[in-house]
């Protein structure tokens, strides 16, 4: 359960630092808890849970896709490391990473929307586990989280086309923290991820 909790924290909480890169001439944001680490941890946990239900399989499918996307996002965050060498290989790789960065910057909100889809499917998986033991409290709680994450996914798609005067992550952060806390307390009752 501790590894699954750590994976969810990596995926749902963006904890990083920003600094100015003289190589790029811009501010660079590096995620201390990269999403791909969280998706990798969750992949191994959900792969073992796959036999438990459809929603764990669906979560696993979206998680694998997001693992690939989050590796590309992480490469775009550390592109400043590749711009200082002058070998042909490093220049080609720096160009590849620059193209990834341009794509990530253009569809950043869509990537967050897909993260919310993953969280919604994970909520459904946990809700189905609560239904198995007829625990109405956790079932209703995870149903509410499912609806919140579907609404957040739709909101991030809309945010791809409009600009808000504040960071859109301020909307999702309290929901994500509440979800992590609920997951922590509910797994003691639901006993889904024994020993993981």
């Amino acid at each position: 359960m501790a590894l699954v909790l750590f994976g969810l924290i990596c995926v749902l909480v963006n904890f990083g630092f920003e600094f100015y890169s003289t190589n790029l001439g811009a501010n660079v944001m590096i995620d201390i808890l990269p999403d791909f680490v969280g998706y990798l941890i969750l992949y191994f946990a959900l792969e073992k849970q796959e036999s438990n239900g459809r929603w764990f399989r669906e979560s696993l499918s979206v998680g694998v896709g997001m693992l690939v996307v989050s590796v590309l996002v992480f490469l775009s965050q550390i592109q400043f490391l590749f711009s200082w060498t002058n070998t042909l290989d490093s220049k080609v790789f720096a160009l590849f990473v620059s193209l990834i960065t341009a794509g990530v910057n253009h569809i950043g909100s869509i990537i967050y929307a897909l993260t919310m889809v993953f969280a919604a499917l994970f909520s459904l998986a946990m809700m189905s586990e609560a239904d198995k033991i007829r625990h109405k409290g956790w079932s209703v709680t995870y149903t509410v989280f499912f609806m919140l994450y579907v609404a957040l996914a739709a909101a991030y798609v809309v945010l791809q086309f409009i600009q808000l005067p504040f960071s859109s992550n301020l909307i999702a952060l309290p929901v994500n923290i509440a979800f992590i806390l609920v997951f922590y307390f509910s797994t003691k009752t639901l006993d889904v991820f024994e020993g993981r």
Side-chain angles (χ1 to χ4, degrees), residues 7-85:
L8 285 174
I9 290 171
C10 288
V11 168
L12 296 176
V13 178
N14 290 329
F15 180 71
F17 65 93
E18 192 171 337
F19 64 93
Y20 183 79
S21 169
T22 54
N23 291 341
L24 294 176
N27 285 339
V28 175
M29 172 72 170
I30 295 193
D31 200 356
I32 301 288
L33 301 170
D35 291 354
F36 75 89
V37 171
Y39 283 116
L40 197 59
I41 291 169
L42 290 171
Y43 170 77
F44 289 116
L46 294 177
E47 184 181 43
K48 294 175 183 174
Q49 291 298 117
E50 193 173 0
S51 62
N52 280 356
R54 170 186 175 204
W55 298 115
F56 279 115
R57 289 191 302 275
E58 297 295 330
S59 297
L60 181 62
S61 299
V62 173
V64 168
M66 288 305 294
L67 174 63
V68 173
V69 170
S70 60
V71 166
L72 295 176
V73 169
F74 186 73
L75 285 176
S76 75
Q77 290 177 342
I78 62 168
Q79 73 170 336
F80 69 94
L81 294 175
F82 308 109
S83 60
W84 59 272
T85 59

Side-chain angles (χ1 to χ4, degrees), residues 127-139:
M127 181 192 70
S128 68
E129 292 299 315
D131 285 342
K132 282 181 187 176
I133 64 166
R134 296 183 183 355
H135 196 292
K136 284 290 187 197
W138 291 128
S139 181

Side-chain angles (χ1 to χ4, degrees), residues 112-133:
Y112 285 125
L114 292 173
T115 302
M116 297 299 107
V117 168
F118 171 80
L121 293 173
F122 195 84
S123 297
L124 280 178
M126 293 303 292
M127 181 192 70
S128 68
E129 292 299 315
D131 285 342
K132 282 181 187 176
I133 64 166

Side-chain angles (χ1 to χ4, degrees), residues 9 31 33 41 45 52 74 87 110 123-124 126 136 147 149 151 157 166 171 173 176 178 192-193:
I9 290 171
D31 200 356
L33 301 170
I41 291 169
N52 280 356
F74 186 73
T87 65
I110 301 296
S123 297
L124 280 178
M126 293 303 292
K136 284 290 187 197
M147 291 187 291
Y149 280 125
V157 170
F166 56 88
I171 300 168
L173 186 62
N176 291 340
V192 180
F193 298 101

